[in-house]
């Protein structure tokens, strides 16, 4: 894999409370056309979920999100994560991600952070929290002076607003949760998740 940004137009951002649901959820997303799946390290079962998906859903490109420490990097990669996503970055975290052997998207929300990453040789980033940090107007304004930076905006994006992000030249994909409605997850309605994933995968 050369770039997380080119796998699909949408990366589902998944918070898994019960690792037992991970495989079925991942299979539904992959069947719907969304192979890149970001499991956030926000719950006790997150690493078990990543491990289960890595072992049992070969067509999924499983990643770890909310990676905020070098230890988190090591644990995620050991569990089978094939890419890493952070909401922000520090020098220590960036060094750990760069040494991990897998692609990574450090989080940014300001121009100075983008310039600092470019200075470090990192050209692909997560823009977070996208809507709160300025949305499409902000990203559009960055494309002129910093065309070498590419983004995966995440945070507050919906099926309705995703196309306006994807139309920008510096956006490769978006992250979102709208294909994972809480009531569908609670009911284990994987058919609905697959249908919503297919709708998201058709965006361009």
């Amino acid at each position: 894999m050369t770039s997380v940004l080119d796998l699909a137009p949408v990366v589902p951002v998944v918070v898994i409370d019960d690792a037992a649901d991970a495989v079925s959820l991942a299979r539904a997303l992959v069947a719907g056309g969304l192979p890149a799946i970001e499991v956030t390290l926000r719950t006790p079962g997150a690493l078990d979920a990543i491990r289960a998906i890595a072992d049992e859903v070969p067509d999924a490109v499983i990643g770890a999100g909310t990676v905020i420490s070098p230890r988190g990097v090591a644990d995620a990669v050991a569990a089978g994560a094939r890419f890493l996503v952070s909401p922000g970055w520090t020098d220590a975290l960036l060094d750990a991600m760069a040494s991990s052997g897998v692609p990574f998207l450090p989080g940014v929300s300001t121009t100075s952070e983008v310039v600092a990453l470019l200075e470090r040789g990192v050209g692909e980033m997560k823009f977070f929290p996208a809507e709160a940090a300025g949305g499409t107007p902000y990203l559009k304004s960055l494309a002129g002076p910093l065309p070498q930076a590419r983004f995966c905006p995440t945070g507050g994006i919906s099926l309705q607003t995703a196309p306006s992000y994807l139309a920008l030249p510096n956006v490769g994909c978006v992250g979102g949760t709208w294909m994972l409605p809480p009531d569908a997850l609670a009911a284990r309605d994987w058919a609905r998740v697959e249908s919503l994933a297919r709708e998201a995968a058709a965006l361009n």
Side-chain angles (χ1 to χ4, degrees), residues 122-159:
V122 178
E124 297 187 346
M125 311 162 197
K126 171 180 178 173
F127 179 59
F128 176 82
E131 287 288 279
T136 53
Y138 192 94
L139 285 172
K140 186 176 181 180
S141 72
L142 292 181
L146 302 170
Q148 64 272 55
R150 295 180 72 215
F151 301 95
C152 174
T154 305
I157 298 174
S158 67
L159 177 66

Side-chain angles (χ1 to χ4, degrees), residues 16-27 45 48-49 52 56 188 190:
I16 295 182
D17 293 311
D18 187 349
D21 292 334
V23 169
S24 296
L25 175 57
R27 285 177 175 156
D48 287 337
E56 299 184 45
R188 295 178 171 81
W190 309 128

Side-chain angles (χ1 to χ4, degrees), residues 53-84:
I53 295 169
D55 289 344
E56 299 184 45
V57 192
D59 292 333
V61 181
I62 185 65
T66 322
V67 178
I68 58 172
S69 69
R71 173 64 183 271
V73 170
D75 288 346
V77 173
R82 294 172 59 188
F83 66 92
L84 305 169

Side-chain angles (χ1 to χ4, degrees), residues 38-198:
E38 176 189 335
V39 173
T40 64
L41 302 184
R42 302 181 197 173
T43 62
L47 290 171
D48 287 337
I50 290 171
R51 192 173 293 109
I53 295 169
D55 289 344
E56 299 184 45
V57 192
D59 292 333
V61 181
I62 185 65
T66 322
V67 178
I68 58 172
S69 69
R71 173 64 183 271
V73 170
D75 288 346
V77 173
R82 294 172 59 188
F83 66 92
L84 305 169
V85 184
S86 68
W89 64 276
T90 64
D91 287 332
L93 178 58
L94 190 66
D95 288 343
M97 290 193 292
S99 300
S100 69
V102 301
F104 58 95
L105 297 173
V108 298
S109 60
T110 69
T111 307
S112 293
E113 290 171 317
V114 175
V115 172
L117 285 177
L118 291 173
E119 188 178 82
R120 295 281 299 268
V122 178
E124 297 187 346
M125 311 162 197
K126 171 180 178 173
F127 179 59
F128 176 82
E131 287 288 279
T136 53
Y138 192 94
L139 285 172
K140 186 176 181 180
S141 72
L142 292 181
L146 302 170
Q148 64 272 55
R150 295 180 72 215
F151 301 95
C152 174
T154 305
I157 298 174
S158 67
L159 177 66
Q160 291 71 35
T161 60
S164 63
Y165 283 94
L166 294 169
L168 297 175
N170 56 351
V171 170
C173 64
V174 300
T177 61
W178 72 85
M179 73 299 298
L180 303 162
D183 58 337
L185 299 184
R188 295 178 171 81
D189 188 349
W190 309 128
R192 184 179 171 202
V193 170
E194 180 180 338
S195 177
L196 291 170
R198 185 170 292 109

